[in-house]
Amino acid sequence: PLAAEAGSKILKAGGSAVDAAIAAQMVLNLVEPQSSGIGGGGFLLHFNFEQQKITTYDGRETAPSSITSDIFLNSNGSPKAFHEAAVSGLSVGVPGLLRMLELAHNDHGKLPWNLLFQPAINLSQKGFKVSARLAMSVKKDNYLGLMTKSSSYFLPNDKPITTRHILKNQRLADVLQTVAEDGANGFYKGKVAQAIFNTVKNA
C-alpha cells in the first residue's frame, strides 16, 4: 500500500507512468526488501498508446567480471552446498535495476529524477510499520543471523521483527539520497559502489 500511494502521488503531481513506477519501486525496496530493490534487477515494458509501441528495458543482474565457471564448486569439483553458494558473496550479481530505471526515465520521465526518491527517503527516515508479509519472510529465513548488518536490522535482540515493529533505515535513506542527487552513477561508482564491493568480497 505504501508503494502504491507513492506512485499515485507522483501521477497526481503530473508524473508519467515511468515516474510513478520508479517512486513505487524505491518504496518497495524499503518495505519488501526480500522481493524487490536496487540490489537486484528487473525488466520494464513501456507502452506508448499514441504510437501503439512497446519498448522493453532489460535490467537483469549480470555476473561480475571476475567470475569463473567453477565458482560454485569445491576444490574437488563437487557442487557446494546451497547455503555455501547462495548465502555468501558468491551468488551476488551486479545489480541492473537502477541503471534500467534511469534509462527509462531519460526516455519517458516527466518529473525530475530526484523527486521520485523522496517518498522512499522520507519513509526510510520516519519509519514504517512492518507488514505481515515481511515479518513472515524474516521469521522463515534461517540465514539472516549470519550477516551482522542484516541481523541487527531484521533480528533486533536476536528475535525476528514482527508487525508491531516500526522499521527505520537511515543507511538506505543515505544511499537513495546519493542516487537522487547523482543519478545511477551514485550507486555504481564512488563510495556506495566501494562499500558494496567490500561487503560482497568479505561476506
Side-chain angles (χ1 to χ4, degrees):
L2 294 171
E5 181 181 351
S8 176
K9 287 181 178 178
I10 291 297
L11 289 175
K12 290 175 181 175
S16 67
V18 167
D19 291 334
I22 294 170
Q25 173 61 87
M26 293 309 114
V27 173
L28 283 174
N29 187 116
L30 173 69
V31 301
E32 291 190 357
Q34 78 279 14
S35 301
S36 181
I38 61 176
F43 301 100
L44 187 148
L45 297 178
H46 180 272
F47 178 60
N48 184 309
F49 181 78
E50 287 77 18
Q51 299 176 5
Q52 292 290 292
K53 178 183 176 182
I54 293 177
T55 306
T56 61
Y57 296 84
D58 181 354
R60 191 63 197 255
E61 309 92 322
T62 57
S65 59
S66 62
I67 215 79
T68 58
S69 59
D70 60 353
I71 191 168
F72 297 121
L73 300 178
N74 291 309
S75 56
N76 63 5
S78 63
K80 292 183 177 179
F82 174 79
H83 71 276
E84 291 179 295
V87 188
S88 68
L90 297 179
S91 64
V92 178
V94 178
L97 186 75
L98 275 173
R99 186 68 76 197
M100 177 195 76
L101 293 176
E102 185 177 62
L103 288 170
H105 181 260
N106 288 342
D107 291 342
H108 306 289
K110 291 183 178 179
L111 297 180
W113 170 263
N114 66 323
L115 186 67
L116 310 179
F117 289 76
Q118 293 314 305
I121 292 170
N122 294 340
L123 271 174
S124 297
Q125 292 174 331
K126 79 173 187 178
F128 68 97
K129 187 178 180 183
V130 172
S131 68
R133 186 166 185 264
L134 175 55
M136 181 58 68
S137 292
V138 170
K139 185 177 181 181
K140 289 167 59 177
D141 194 309
N142 296 321
Y143 302 106
L144 278 174
L146 298 178
M147 307 290 183
T148 305
K149 291 179 181 177
S150 300
S151 179
S152 62
Y153 184 64
F154 293 112
L155 307 168
N157 302 316
D158 295 323
K159 294 182 180 179
I161 54 172
T162 68
T163 53
R164 295 188 299 273
H165 279 86
I166 301 295
L167 272 186
K168 297 181 181 181
N169 195 332
Q170 185 59 49
R171 285 181 176 146
L172 178 60
D174 293 342
V175 170
L176 293 180
Q177 187 63 49
T178 297
V179 175
E181 294 172 1
D182 300 337
N185 279 343
F187 180 80
Y188 293 103
K189 297 180 180 181
K191 292 181 179 179
V192 174
Q194 189 62 52
I196 294 171
F197 175 82
N198 293 341
T199 299
V200 171
K201 185 178 180 181
N202 300 309

